[in-house]
Amino acid sequence: MDSRLYVLTGHAYYKGRQLKDVIAAALRGGADCIQLREKDYSGRELLEAGHLLRRLTREAGVKLIINDRIDVARAVDADGVHLGQGDLPIQVAREILGAGKIVGLSTHNVEEAVAAERAGADYIGLGPMKPTQTKLDTEPVVGPAGVLEVRRHVRLPIVAIGGITAADTAEIIRCGANSVAVVSAVVGADDVEAAARELREIVDRERGSRV
Ligand code: TZP
Ligand code: MG
């Protein structure tokens, strides 16, 4: 699951804009994976948003991942789920979702990253890169130095997350992340499309110049 610009939803940042317009703009700007993550939505609300995102992502030929909720992922035929350390084990998620689905796992250090690879994750989230207002109960900051260390121990795609802006992206990719995952830097931007494009161009440039 080799994404480059992984954009998560976050309705608190929309400033009155509609989910469909915010995500359509992110897709135009070059997001190549969308994650539905809304911690305070009911099952019904997640289902509705999931169907909408499935339509948009399918039209764009982009992956759709659902945070936490394997049932919602199945119901909307998402490409996969993103799990946390306390969620159902990867193998159980695979049994429920069926073959060919993506399972990502949040990790915060080398030990968790190595365990995720052994358990058969398709990619790891790694963070936080910086403190962030979007998730207040984060683990200690891992930072770009943490990416460098984890990169030495796992072959899995690394999706860096947490407080990432355009100013941090080049360094994070140079340290070995495949992708950056963002909420506020894209869905909270005044110009969502331009913000996504800027991040995507940085990732493309840094990955292209990798030795
Ligand atoms: N997991 C670790 S940090 C984070 C998540 C979901 C939030 C990222 O949001 P932002 O606005 O890009 O800092
Ligand atoms: Mg979770």
Side-chain angles (χ1 to χ4, degrees):
M1 214 292 285
D2 191 13
S3 65
R4 289 181 171 220
L5 176 58
Y6 187 133
V7 171
L8 288 74
T9 66
H11 70 89
Y13 288 110
Y14 297 166
K15 304 171 189 154
R17 301 171 297 196
Q18 298 290 307
L19 170 69
K20 74 169 172 16
D21 297 324
V22 170
I23 297 302
L27 291 167
R28 285 195 302 276
D32 61 355
C33 183
I34 302 294
Q35 183 187 123
L36 173 58
R37 177 181 184 274
E38 297 295 352
K39 294 289 187 182
D40 58 354
Y41 272 19
S42 66
R44 288 280 181 97
E45 288 171 319
L46 285 173
L47 192 67
E48 192 186 333
H51 281 306
L52 187 145
L53 293 176
R54 179 69 291 183
R55 183 168 58 74
L56 290 179
T57 50
R58 202 159 260 156
E59 281 167 11
V62 158
K63 299 271 187 272
L64 173 64
I65 304 291
I66 309 294
N67 188 268
D68 292 341
R69 296 285 298 259
I70 301 168
D71 52 349
V72 175
R74 233 187 108 110
V76 305
D77 192 27
D79 295 294
V81 285
H82 186 89
L83 302 174
Q85 290 287 322
D87 292 325
L88 290 181
I90 291 170
Q91 279 317 316
V92 175
R94 285 204 193 287
E95 281 160 27
I96 298 171
L97 284 177
K101 296 296 186 181
I102 296 164
V103 182
L105 187 68
S106 292
T107 66
H108 314 92
N109 51 54
V110 170
E111 292 70 30
E112 289 178 357
V114 169
E117 187 157 75
R118 291 213 181 106
D122 291 301
Y123 73 91
I124 53 170
L126 179 65
M129 291 298 115
K130 294 195 315 212
T132 172
Q133 285 302 306
T134 308
K135 183 170 158 61
L136 297 172
D137 62 338
T138 50
E139 304 285 322
V141 166
V142 171
V147 175
L148 205 56
E149 202 193 341
V150 168
R151 180 77 290 164
R152 287 201 217 101
H153 292 84
V154 302
R155 302 176 63 94
L156 282 179
I158 298 173
V159 179
I161 189 165
I164 298 172
T165 67
D168 319 303
T169 297
E171 184 187 7
I172 290 167
I173 299 296
R174 275 186 220 138
C175 286
N178 297 65
S179 175
V180 290
V182 295
V183 184
S184 51
V186 168
V187 304
D190 289 334
D191 186 337
V192 172
E193 180 177 342
R197 182 164 293 118
E198 184 182 14
L199 288 167
R200 176 67 195 254
E201 282 175 1
I202 297 167
V203 175
D204 286 346
R205 190 181 68 228
E206 294 302 328
R207 284 186 44 151
S209 64
R210 242 185 218 164
V211 284

